[in-house]
């Protein structure tokens, strides 16, 4: 059964709310995604993110959720925003914003298995 537009919109509001909570608020989430803080507020109230920002939100939620299966939320947040040797000393959030999610997922897998960079 297909989701209604309202259910789909609610899903993204839930994702934005979850990520805002995990990353210490709407302002910080906006900075991480490189959008205006008012945009995040609108996503929470009534607006659906455009395709590019939906992709960023989906990717960030996926990576964060994956990390929190074996790390605390605090440590997962630090991993997402910190420099990463598995990513040639780039920050995972920067690659997520650039749509390079496969590289970030590979780095998560390497980190989880204890592989050295």
């Amino acid at each position: 059964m297909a989701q209604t537009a309202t259910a789909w919109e609610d899903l993204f509001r839930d994702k934005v709310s979850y990520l805002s909570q995990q990353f210490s608020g709407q302002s910080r989430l906006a900075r991480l995604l490189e959008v205006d803080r008012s945009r995040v507020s609108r996503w929470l109230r009534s607006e659906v993110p455009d395709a590019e920002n939906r992709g960023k939100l989906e990717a960030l939620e996926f990576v964060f959720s994956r990390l929190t299966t074996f790390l605390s939320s605090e440590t997962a947040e630090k991993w997402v925003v910190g420099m990463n040797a598995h990513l040639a000393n780039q920050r995972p959030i920067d690659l997520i914003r650039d749509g390079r999610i496969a590289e970030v997922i590979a780095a998560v897998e390497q980190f989880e298995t204890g592989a050295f960079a």
Side-chain angles (χ1 to χ4, degrees):
M1 178 177 209
Q3 289 184 336
T4 64
T6 303
W8 181 78
E9 292 168 0
D10 289 344
L11 175 67
F12 273 96
R13 271 190 268 294
D14 290 347
K15 289 175 190 277
V16 173
S17 177
Y18 169 75
L19 290 170
S20 292
Q21 291 171 10
Q22 297 305 312
F23 288 95
S24 306
Q26 294 176 32
S27 294
R28 180 127 191 267
L29 179 61
R31 283 191 308 274
L32 291 173
L33 297 175
E34 293 185 335
V35 298
D36 192 85
R37 183 188 181 283
S38 64
R39 174 86 46 204
V40 175
S41 294
R42 287 194 304 270
W43 291 341
L44 286 168
R45 284 192 318 268
S46 61
E47 188 177 290
V48 176
D50 59 78
E52 179 182 350
N53 285 310
R54 278 195 313 266
K56 291 177 190 178
L57 287 163
E58 293 272 354
L60 181 56
E61 181 199 29
F62 180 82
V63 168
F64 191 81
S65 295
R66 176 78 187 274
L67 287 166
T68 56
T69 64
F70 61 93
L71 297 173
S72 69
S73 292
E74 182 180 301
T75 303
E77 177 186 357
K78 289 176 182 177
W79 190 94
V80 168
V81 300
M83 298 300 228
N84 190 294
H86 294 289
L87 298 170
N89 291 319
Q90 297 177 82
R91 297 182 329 148
I93 189 64
D94 296 331
L95 275 67
I96 289 170
R97 281 195 311 257
D98 291 341
R100 296 166 56 189
I101 185 66
E103 293 171 65
V104 177
I105 292 169
V108 170
E109 290 171 351
Q110 291 169 338
F111 181 69
E112 182 178 18
T113 61
F116 292 97

